Amino acid sequence: MNLRQFGFIATLLFAAAISGSGPMPPDTIAVPAPVASITVVDLDGLADVDFGDTESELTRRGILRTDVDACGPTLAGHDMVSPIFIDNRLVLLWAGDPVRTPEGVTAGSPIAEVKANYPQVRALHAPRGTHRFDGLLARDGDRAYLFLHDGRTVRKIIAGYADWAHRLFVEGYGPC
């Protein structure tokens, strides 16, 4: 490097240093997710997906995708939700953070919050010696939420038909 290049680079570095440039404050770097991007799963399903919908209906509407490299079909626009179909009908939705119930329960919520929002919740215990989570089943008619938890916080939310949620817990299978 010759003296002229060195002088030019030194001048640029000096100008950058005195210009006030430096690290940006964290609140200007991260862009918060818009409120509309939060997915809510209720006992009917999602805003554009209902329990009981057929695979062919969801595919025709462009919601069910099978072209994604995943363990099964996925729902367009719902990256953290896995659908579970039995006999061609949507019976359960397996959801992770940031998906929430209408009451605001999500993965990471304390189990005390689940019990406060769903006072009739029933405790389900994973078989000893397994690496499965315990569950809290909040049933409302033929529908339910199954909150899988580690004893302190919710790890996953499963919503859908109560009998299928209970069966999923007892048999110990997941979306993949």
Side-chain angles (χ1 to χ4, degrees), residues 96-160:
D97 188 34
V99 178
R100 310 182 174 301
T101 68
E103 294 76 19
V105 175
T106 186
S109 294
I111 60 171
E113 186 178 333
V114 173
K115 292 176 180 178
N117 281 292
Y118 307 95
Q120 302 300 331
V121 74
R122 186 173 120 210
L124 301 175
H125 301 286
R128 297 187 115 181
T130 66
H131 296 286
R132 293 175 24 205
F133 291 115
D134 286 338
L136 294 170
L137 187 69
R139 188 176 185 132
D140 185 6
D142 71 338
R143 309 288 172 93
Y145 293 111
L146 173 59
F147 300 97
L148 300 180
H149 66 87
D150 61 9
R152 294 183 322 266
T153 60
V154 173
R155 304 297 292 219
K156 288 286 183 185
I157 298 171
I158 295 126

Side-chain angles (χ1 to χ4, degrees), residues 14 39 56 72 75 90 95 104 116 154:
F14 180 73
T39 301
S56 56
L75 299 173
L90 179 65
V154 173

Side-chain angles (χ1 to χ4, degrees), residues 3-174:
L3 189 55
R4 187 175 197 185
Q5 289 173 322
F6 178 79
F8 179 72
I9 293 171
T11 303
L12 286 176
L13 288 173
F14 180 73
I18 65 169
S19 72
S21 65
M24 293 176 67
D27 60 339
T28 61
I29 296 171
V31 178
V35 174
S37 71
I38 296 184
T39 301
V40 175
V41 62
D42 62 26
L43 294 179
D44 291 322
L46 300 167
D48 53 351
V49 178
D50 292 324
F51 294 115
D53 284 349
T54 65
E55 291 179 72
S56 56
E57 169 65 16
L58 293 173
T59 301
R60 185 187 62 73
R61 290 178 22 216
I63 295 171
L64 188 65
R65 299 183 57 204
T66 57
D67 60 337
V68 179
D69 186 22
C71 65
T74 61
L75 299 173
H78 301 288
D79 295 337
M80 297 307 297
V81 180
S82 296
I84 298 176
F85 293 91
I86 304 292
D87 295 331
N88 192 36
R89 297 268 179 196
L90 179 65
V91 297
L92 296 171
L93 293 170
W94 182 282
D97 188 34
V99 178
R100 310 182 174 301
T101 68
E103 294 76 19
V105 175
T106 186
S109 294
I111 60 171
E113 186 178 333
V114 173
K115 292 176 180 178
N117 281 292
Y118 307 95
Q120 302 300 331
V121 74
R122 186 173 120 210
L124 301 175
H125 301 286
R128 297 187 115 181
T130 66
H131 296 286
R132 293 175 24 205
F133 291 115
D134 286 338
L136 294 170
L137 187 69
R139 188 176 185 132
D140 185 6
D142 71 338
R143 309 288 172 93
Y145 293 111
L146 173 59
F147 300 97
L148 300 180
H149 66 87
D150 61 9
R152 294 183 322 266
T153 60
V154 173
R155 304 297 292 219
K156 288 286 183 185
I157 298 171
I158 295 126
Y161 291 106
D163 291 342
W164 284 109
H166 186 262
R167 185 171 176 183
L168 176 135
F169 183 82
V170 170
E171 293 181 7
Y173 62 89

